[in-house]
Amino acid sequence: MDCFFSFLLSIVLIIQAYPTSVDSNEKIPANNGPVITVRKHISFPDFKIDQEINLLGSAIISSEKNSIQIPDTTQEVDVRHLAGRAIFGSPIRLLDPPTKSPASFETTFSFQFQSLSNSTFSFPNGEDSNFTMSSPVDGGSGFSFIIVPDEFTVGRSGPWLGILNDACDEDYKSIAIEFDTRQNPEFGDPNDNHIGINLGSSIVSSRIINASDAGIDLNDGSVHRAWVSYDGNKGFIQIHLGSDKDRKLIYSGSLDLSSYLNEYMFIGFSASTGNHTQIHNIFSWNFTSTSQASLKIPSAETCESKILVDQKEAEEIKKHNKTPTSFLIFVAVVILVFVALLNFYFTRGRNNGNPKELIVLPEKKQRPRPPNKPRRFSLTEISNATRNFRELQILGSDTRSVTYKANMLNGCNVAVKRFLTQFFSSHGLDRKRVHKEIKAISKIRHPNLVPIRGWCFDRQESIVVYDYVPNGSLDKWLYGVGVLPWTRRFKVVESVAEALSYLHSKQLAHKNLKPSSVFLDVSFRAVLGDFGFVIPSAGSTRFESIVSLTADVFEFGVLALEVVAGRNRKSGPGGVDLLELAWSLHEKDEKVKLVDRRMGSLVIPEQAVRVIEVGLLCTMNENRGRPAMEEVLKFLNLETSIPELPFSRPLSLFPYSSTLGLCTGYSCASFK
């Protein structure tokens, strides 16, 4: 009887919620509202330093010519094999995601190729004032107008024209219209005077236009003007080339760009040099885009949506449905009352006959498990997620561990760090103590720390499961993928300092700080992961803690210098140690020379020098004034002035090796 009662109640609720009659002519409002036109227009009659143009790599604003110039001849003695970009600082809407409709746009720009042959340059250091380039007169690599998904990546030099690099995978979305003055047969170039349309991650042009057929010589030293117009509705592109007085149509045809566009993209120019060199100048630029967007009307569940419903139509629908719905509700209520009386009668009779039969047991309460709480994983789970530790799943490895990309059953991507068994035995490490520290670190949560999902300690396996960070580690962005702008680099230094300060406040140390342990999430925010977890099997716990914390500070100092310089500690010419170089430049009061030149003119010199000084301070001997991470944060945030550094390099820096968390080969007496 109880089941029957519940069944009837469900029917009534469904009847009340569901309309009893639907008019075939009734219109259900669509999710999208009115279609509007989104327009964007930018205009640069010439170029000045204070404009909204981001300069990356070897690119500058020439104050002499009021132009974008690639490469930067004011900083480089040898301008071969350089690449640069000039990107408009704000993204442009170029795709309507619901309809996959590309925007229409028009752009025009004037440019000139200037040969470096027989050209004399005066370099900033005053040396080689009569230096003459020996490039042939047939020019170097060209330049391109680009539409790209980000504003900080620079491509390869040479025939790649600064468009693509090793980070551009098969799904990389980009569009480039190249103006090439070198013939590269391997890329299908017809000659050294052509225009190409490049789509996606391919440097091979999908459309190639021979400029000579139009009587145009791109490398004749004159100022050329290009007009590019694209009709997104028709999928049709036109390219004109020439001068203001003589405009020639050199290409027109169908072209669907929707597959190569995100909703918002960045636009600008890229150029490069190879063995052959030339200066690429862009003197003026105009760009206008027009895209369609549908305004979304509020959901039917919101009060605001009632404003959009026609009052007359609403009244007709209400009148049409009122009588039958009300009648059915009335009938249902009568039936429910009748059934309730019957149920009460029969239930009372049963209770009177055998009152002990009805026993209500309290429901057992189960404590809900927090969704992000770290947990123990079985070896089977880990093995399945990594496809039995398949080689293709490997993200990286070192002498301690191998890290795999894994996909859990719930669809989440994670990074699985599997410690090597021989690592524990060869270094005399206490596996249980390492496991204990892994669990302790797992409880820590901070916006700038990679969360630990859990662990697996099974059959001599020691495995840590992290959140997967999609943009990879910092070292790939500093040393190969592209050029991170200064604003992002400073944020990286600041974020790592915040993460370490928080860890140290909990008396925990990272023990493995280096660029490959810093990761960039989808918004390029720095998060610190890949903890060391390594504790020696003997010695005072307090001693270990002190050494680990101060060693973290030392490694942070080295990391800060690497971020500013854009190079690995040991990757300098002739194997020059970055720390040695930084102290040497400090002695000469030339610290600014350590700054990565590839970032162009958008660096804030005072801020960069401040980071260098903080880095040097962190690498001093502990008893000579090495700060705590809490103090480092105050230095970076201008809350406290930086103590004066010694004029000359300290006699012995604290050469801590974070591999084992030990003072290997050095005296640690000052910490006892």
Side-chain angles (χ1 to χ4, degrees):
M1 184 63 69
D2 292 338
C3 294
F4 182 64
F5 176 78
S6 300
F7 175 71
L8 285 179
L9 179 60
S10 301
I11 292 177
V12 172
L13 293 175
I14 293 173
I15 291 174
Q16 186 175 7
Y18 192 81
T20 57
S21 176
V22 178
D23 189 348
S24 60
N25 295 322
E26 182 180 340
K27 295 181 180 180
I28 301 175
N31 188 35
N32 292 334
V35 176
I36 63 168
T37 300
V38 179
R39 289 188 176 89
K40 178 69 176 181
H41 175 71
I42 59 177
S43 178
F44 296 98
D46 55 19
F47 294 95
K48 297 179 176 60
I49 293 177
D50 58 349
Q51 290 171 329
E52 193 181 356
I53 297 290
N54 293 339
L55 301 173
L56 304 175
S58 185
I60 62 168
I61 299 293
S62 172
S63 56
E64 178 184 351
K65 302 174 185 176
N66 290 334
S67 68
I68 295 171
Q69 178 181 306
I70 305 173
D72 178 6
T73 56
T74 65
Q75 297 290 335
E76 304 289 348
V77 174
D78 186 356
V79 294
R80 295 175 300 171
H81 302 288
L82 297 176
R85 280 189 181 182
I87 301 292
F88 183 65
S90 302
I92 306 294
R93 190 176 190 273
L94 291 174
L95 183 74
D96 182 36
T99 62
K100 299 296 182 183
S101 301
S104 299
F105 64 84
E106 294 182 358
T107 185
T108 177
F109 43 88
S110 58
F111 62 93
Q112 177 195 47
F113 297 122
Q114 179 185 349
S115 174
L116 289 176
S117 179
N118 300 322
S119 298
T120 301
F121 297 94
S122 178
F123 295 102
N125 57 11
E127 300 176 358
D128 298 322
S129 58
N130 294 320
F131 178 79
T132 301
M133 297 300 296
S134 59
S135 302
V137 295
D138 57 352
S141 302
F143 90 105
S144 60
F145 168 74
I146 54 175
I147 301 175
V148 289
D150 65 73
E151 79 279 28
F152 51 82
T153 301
V154 176
R156 290 179 181 174
S157 58
W160 282 268
L161 306 182
I163 303 172
L164 301 172
N165 55 39
D166 294 334
C168 304
D169 55 24
E170 295 180 359
D171 298 325
Y172 187 76
K173 294 186 177 183
S174 70
I175 299 165
I177 299 176
E178 65 174 47
F179 299 81
D180 201 346
T181 56
R182 289 293 300 171
Q183 182 180 13
N184 297 100
E186 66 273 24
F187 294 152
D189 295 347
N191 57 20
D192 59 357
N193 188 44
H194 64 274
I195 295 93
I197 301 176
N198 303 348
L199 303 175
S201 58
S202 176
I203 195 63
V204 179
S205 301
S206 61
R207 311 283 195 280
I208 299 178
I209 306 103
N210 188 344
S212 301
D213 292 343
I216 296 172
D217 182 3
L218 294 173
N219 204 33
D220 61 3
S222 62
V223 176
H224 300 277
R225 180 173 290 278
W227 293 264
V228 180
S229 61
Y230 181 72
D231 189 328
N233 295 324
K234 298 179 180 178
F236 192 81
I237 190 170
Q238 286 187 324
I239 302 176
H240 291 79
L241 193 61
S243 62
D244 290 331
K245 297 179 180 179
D246 186 16
R247 176 174 171 175
K248 299 177 181 179
L249 176 65
I250 63 169
Y251 180 79
S252 63
S254 298
L255 187 65
D256 183 7
L257 298 181
S258 58
S259 300
Y260 307 99
L261 293 171
N262 296 326
E263 181 176 6
Y264 287 93
M265 304 283 282
F266 289 87
I267 59 174
F269 302 92
S270 72
S272 67
T273 60
N275 288 327
H276 303 277
T277 57
Q278 64 186 181
I279 296 176
H280 313 86
N281 292 298
I282 297 97
F283 295 102
S284 63
W285 182 28
N286 289 289
F287 181 91
T288 302
S289 66
T290 305
S291 62
Q292 301 297 313
S294 299
L295 293 179
K296 292 183 178 180
I297 65 172
S299 167
E301 299 175 357
T302 63
C303 298
E304 289 83 358
S305 65
K306 299 183 183 302
I307 301 174
L308 301 178
V309 179
D310 183 81
Q311 187 66 30
K312 183 177 179 180
E313 182 179 356
E315 291 177 357
E316 290 179 356
I317 295 174
K318 183 178 179 181
K319 182 179 179 181
H320 181 69
N321 293 332
K322 181 176 181 181
T323 304
T325 303
S326 302
F327 176 74
L328 285 176
I329 292 175
F330 173 75
V331 172
V333 169
V334 172
I335 294 174
L336 282 175
V337 171
F338 178 71
V339 171
L341 291 173
L342 288 177
N343 184 60
F344 175 75
Y345 174 79
F346 286 109
T347 302
R348 183 184 177 190
R350 280 201 310 270
N351 290 341
N352 290 336
N354 190 5
K356 295 183 180 180
E357 209 173 71
L358 184 63
I359 301 175
V360 180
L361 296 176
E363 184 180 355
K364 184 179 180 180
K365 294 183 179 180
Q366 295 183 353
R367 296 177 62 184
R369 181 186 181 89
N372 295 323
K373 184 178 181 180
R375 67 179 181 89
R376 175 186 289 273
F377 289 90
S378 68
L379 187 58
T380 301
E381 286 181 281
I382 301 296
S383 181
N384 291 337
T386 58
R387 301 182 182 181
N388 200 24
F389 300 103
R390 190 178 179 186
E391 187 175 353
L392 292 176
Q393 300 295 112
I394 294 178
L395 293 172
S397 62
D398 54 28
T399 57
R400 299 178 307 161
S401 61
V402 180
T403 303
Y404 300 84
K405 182 179 179 181
N407 187 270
M408 307 306 290
L409 289 177
N410 60 4
C412 293
N413 288 325
V414 296
V416 171
K417 181 175 181 177
R418 184 188 193 190
F419 284 95
L420 302 176
T421 304
Q422 60 269 28
F423 173 72
F424 289 96
S425 57
S426 62
H427 292 91
L429 299 173
D430 187 339
R431 189 186 295 267
K432 290 184 178 179
R433 292 188 64 192
V434 173
H435 293 175
K436 183 178 180 181
E437 185 169 1
I438 289 173
K439 291 181 179 180
I441 296 289
S442 299
K443 299 175 182 178
I444 300 298
R445 288 291 183 269
H446 187 271
N448 297 114
L449 291 174
V450 179
I452 294 177
R453 290 289 187 90
W455 56 86
C456 174
F457 307 142
D458 187 11
R459 303 175 192 173
Q460 296 300 308
E461 291 281 3
S462 297
I463 298 172
V464 186
V465 181
Y466 291 93
D467 269 1
Y468 176 72
V469 187
N471 278 326
S473 55
L474 176 64
D475 59 323
K476 293 182 175 62
W477 291 92
L478 283 180
Y479 315 139
V481 171
V483 180
L484 283 176
W486 172 248
T487 53
R488 293 185 187 273
R489 295 195 195 201
F490 181 75
K491 191 61 181 175
V492 165
V493 174
E494 197 175 38
S495 298
V496 173
E498 289 175 354
L500 283 179
S501 179
Y502 179 77
L503 273 178
H504 290 188
S505 70
K506 303 294 183 182
Q507 292 302 305
L508 296 169
H510 187 272
K511 303 178 184 176
N512 190 34
L513 186 59
K514 52 189 177 182
S516 61
S517 301
V518 179
F519 301 89
L520 302 177
D521 65 11
V522 290
S523 60
F524 282 85
R525 181 175 55 91
V527 287
L528 184 57
D530 195 20
F531 296 87
F533 296 129
V534 181
I535 304 176
S537 57
S540 165
T541 302
R542 179 179 176 274
F543 170 70
E544 294 163 5
S545 175
I546 295 174
V547 170
S548 298
L549 296 182
T550 193
D552 272 357
V553 177
F554 178 88
E555 295 296 352
F556 172 81
V558 176
L559 175 73
L561 297 176
E562 289 177 317
V563 170
V564 174
R567 49 157 284 196
N568 188 276
R569 179 174 176 179
K570 296 290 186 181
S571 66
V576 178
D577 185 272
L578 178 62
L579 195 52
E580 296 275 359
L581 177 62
W583 276 104
S584 175
L585 292 174
H586 166 65
E587 292 172 4
K588 300 174 185 177
D589 197 21
E590 296 177 343
K591 291 187 286 290
V592 72
K593 287 187 176 180
L594 194 69
V595 177
D596 188 355
R597 292 180 178 178
R598 297 176 301 161
M599 290 187 287
S601 61
L602 293 182
V603 179
I604 304 173
E606 298 80 7
Q607 199 175 50
V609 169
R610 188 173 189 85
V611 173
I612 293 172
E613 291 176 345
V614 170
L616 294 176
L617 189 66
C618 290
T619 60
M620 293 178 59
N621 283 358
E622 198 277 339
N623 58 359
R624 292 284 299 273
R626 187 182 305 175
M629 288 309 304
E630 185 179 1
E631 294 176 286
V632 169
L633 266 179
K634 293 180 180 179
F635 297 152
L636 293 173
N637 295 329
L638 300 177
E639 297 177 15
T640 307
S641 58
I642 300 176
E644 186 175 353
L645 289 164
F647 182 74
S648 60
R649 174 179 178 238
L651 292 177
S652 66
L653 299 174
F654 180 70
Y656 169 83
S657 172
S658 62
T659 303
L660 292 178
L662 298 167
C663 305
T664 54
Y666 305 103
S667 172
C668 297
S670 60
F671 298 104
K672 294 184 179 179

